[in-house]
Amino acid sequence: MTNRISHIEIDQTGLAAPTPAIEQERKVAVFDLLEDNSFALEARGDQTVADGPYHLGLAIREKRLVFDVDTESGEDAAEFHMSLGPFRQVVKDYFAICESYFDAVKKLPPSQIEAIDMARRGIHNEGARVLQERLEGKAEIDIDTARRLFTLICVLHWG
């Protein structure tokens, strides 16, 4: 399948060392992403689109989220620079609800944990939706890919 990401590199240059929990989230998201994803570059104007599978580099540079997409042979395929502004609140909300969830697991009954987890999933879905909107016209991704990439954006944002 060519419409997919086959390798991902996360540039954590200049970011604080991740906590063990954030590092675990990153590892799981990368593993799940590489196992199953849908990522297709969209043509812009009369440009031709390089065929995948793609190598994706994610970074934050100059307060912007950068998607650096190469072909498997190392040729530049695309690069997108996006404002972090649309992600700020949903990332903040996501980390707050995750903290509540991890605290709840330690001391609350399953019914209350389930309610917090449903809220966490809802915020995660909102972040994935924002990402899909921001990539519109640049790359097409399915909701599962968007969710995993959103997790990686959170790691970069709050690493």
Side-chain angles (χ1 to χ4, degrees), residues 115-133:
I116 293 170
D117 190 46
M118 285 177 61
R120 182 191 62 79
R121 285 194 306 264
I123 293 169
H124 200 221
N125 286 340
E126 175 64 14
R129 186 192 60 73
V130 169
L131 179 59
Q132 284 179 308
E133 286 176 2

Side-chain angles (χ1 to χ4, degrees), residues 68-142:
D68 185 6
V69 186
D70 295 333
T71 65
E72 285 198 313
S73 62
E75 296 172 43
D76 291 339
E79 186 169 294
F80 318 128
H81 294 248
M82 295 178 271
S83 171
L84 287 169
F87 294 101
R88 283 199 208 306
Q89 189 61 51
V90 72
V91 168
K92 183 178 177 181
D93 292 347
Y94 183 67
F95 271 96
I97 197 78
C98 284
E99 192 172 311
S100 295
Y101 175 78
F102 293 131
D103 288 343
V105 167
K106 297 174 191 171
K107 56 188 172 196
L108 294 179
S111 61
Q112 289 176 298
I113 294 168
E114 186 175 320
I116 293 170
D117 190 46
M118 285 177 61
R120 182 191 62 79
R121 285 194 306 264
I123 293 169
H124 200 221
N125 286 340
E126 175 64 14
R129 186 192 60 73
V130 169
L131 179 59
Q132 284 179 308
E133 286 176 2
R134 302 296 297 154
L135 286 173
E136 198 169 300
K138 300 172 183 86
E140 186 176 331
I141 57 176
D142 65 9

Side-chain angles (χ1 to χ4, degrees), residues 1 16 22-23 27-28 39 43 45 50 54 61 69-71 86 89 96 112 118 126 129 137 153 157-158:
M1 188 168 129
I22 290 174
E23 181 62 17
K27 285 180 181 177
V28 169
F39 185 93
Y54 303 104
R61 293 189 203 122
V69 186
D70 295 333
T71 65
Q89 189 61 51
Q112 289 176 298
M118 285 177 61
E126 175 64 14
R129 186 192 60 73
I153 291 167
H157 205 278
W158 290 79

Side-chain angles (χ1 to χ4, degrees), residues 6 16 26 52 104 111 152 155-156:
S6 63
R26 182 194 65 80
S111 61
L152 296 176
V155 169
L156 278 170

